[in-house]
Structure formats: C-alpha cells, structure tokens
Amino acid sequence: MDASDSPAADAPDAAGPADRSPGPATGPATGPADGPARDHDRDRDRDPDGMLAEQLLRLTRRLHRIQSRQLEPIGITPAQFRLLRAVASYDAAPRMADLAQRLDVVPRAVTTLVDALEASGRVRRAPDPDSRRVVRIRITDEGRATLRSLRNARRAAAEEILAPLTAEQREVLGGLLSALVDGMPERHC
C-alpha cells in the first residue's frame, strides 16, 4: 500500500491527542473525540454519497498508479493499453471516430494515442477500401504480442488491488460495479 493510499494520508492532521497543544487563542487541548476523525465522521453523516464518490476516486487513482507501474516495463501507458484493447476488440478495423466513441473521449485524444502506438509498431493506419476519406486502425503482430504481455500485467495489478477482499467480496464488488457501469447514461462526445 502506498503511503498516499492510507486513510491517514487524507487526514489533515495525523498527530495524536498527545501531540496537540493549545495555541495562544485556541483554548484547551482537544480530546480523542474531537479533531479530524470526528470531522470525517460528521462529513460522512452529512454526505454519504460524496464520501462514497471520494472513496471511488481514491481507488481509481490507486489502480491507475499500480497499473502504470505494471505497464512501464512494457513501454505503454494505461491510455494506450485501453486503445490497443479497443482496436483488438473489433471484428473489422475501426475508424478513429469508432474508437473515440468506444473510449468515450474526444477524437483528438484518439489521434494522439494512435500516433504513439503507430510509432511503436503496435498499430497501423490503413485506408478504407470504400472511402478514401476514412482511415482505419489495424492492430499489428507487435500489437497482439503486446496485448498478451499486458494481460499478465493487468492481472497482477488487479490481484494487488483486490488482495484484501475474499472471493465472495470480489463477486459482490463485481456485481455492484456492473450495476454502476450498466446504469450510466450514454455520453456522446
């Protein structure tokens, strides 16, 4: 666990009660029932959905850090990994617009990712046989080999993040996350 992932890392003051001394205008020292922990509990009581959203954001950042660490030796970023997986998931080579929609990003972001993956030999641009204005993105053999390597890195990252959970808890979490993802309204860029 990274130091930034611990609950104490989010606390504005990690000092214990014995470390707190009254300042000139603060009055008596606060006891264990007061301070950041109580503020945290009070915030949770007032805004449980906000606290849940904050926990999800912290988990997402942690997962991104772990995944980046796993992907670094392969020489690919998490965003490039997502794009490579998206390209490989199509039966026929997708257009850039298809990829932007699938990844829920603006087309310019796809262009930047394709540029990097093309420079590394993992994808290539190909003209559409039916329209000269359309460019299709094809995965290369190097891209497929990279995906095989990345699947192992992804499993390792998932195992690291899910290690504290039992099999039953993982199953419940999977169901909850599916409900959230499946219940999200479609966005159009």
Side-chain angles (χ1 to χ4, degrees):
M1 175 185 280
D2 293 332
S4 62
D5 293 325
S6 70
D10 286 342
D13 177 15
D19 295 337
R20 294 190 189 117
S21 60
T26 61
T30 57
D34 294 329
R38 184 174 174 150
D39 290 344
H40 183 73
D41 291 340
R42 200 175 311 128
D43 288 346
R44 181 180 294 144
D45 292 341
R46 274 188 262 170
D47 187 12
D49 289 342
M51 288 299 297
L52 186 58
E54 178 61 30
Q55 288 174 307
L56 287 170
L57 288 171
R58 286 181 60 216
L59 181 61
T60 300
R61 287 190 301 264
R62 181 171 179 226
L63 183 57
H64 190 267
R65 280 192 310 272
I66 290 169
Q67 188 176 34
S68 294
R69 191 173 61 237
Q70 296 285 343
L71 298 178
E72 187 176 15
I74 298 167
I76 194 167
T77 68
Q80 291 168 353
F81 177 35
R82 283 185 64 218
L83 183 94
L84 196 59
R85 281 190 1 247
V87 171
S89 72
Y90 284 90
D91 292 331
R95 300 172 304 140
M96 301 267 255
D98 298 330
L99 293 167
Q101 184 175 11
R102 167 83 53 99
L103 298 174
D104 196 21
V105 298
V106 296
R108 176 70 187 119
V110 171
T111 301
T112 302
L113 294 171
V114 168
D115 288 347
L117 289 171
E118 189 174 37
S120 67
R122 292 177 173 124
V123 299
R124 67 178 176 83
R125 288 176 168 91
D128 185 293
D130 299 326
S131 173
R132 291 185 341 195
R133 294 183 300 164
V134 175
V135 174
R136 302 259 175 198
I137 307 303
R138 298 194 187 282
I139 191 166
T140 64
D141 290 341
E142 176 67 23
R144 284 186 192 83
T146 299
L147 273 181
R148 283 189 295 276
S149 298
L150 292 172
R151 285 189 184 106
N152 293 333
R154 189 172 187 210
R155 271 188 224 105
E159 184 55 40
E160 185 174 339
I161 199 89
L162 297 172
L165 302 179
T166 65
E168 183 179 310
Q169 289 171 322
R170 289 178 188 202
E171 188 174 327
V172 169
L173 178 62
L176 293 170
L177 291 174
S178 291
L180 289 172
V181 170
D182 295 344
M184 293 175 71
E186 289 294 318
R187 284 188 5 197
H188 300 285
C189 296

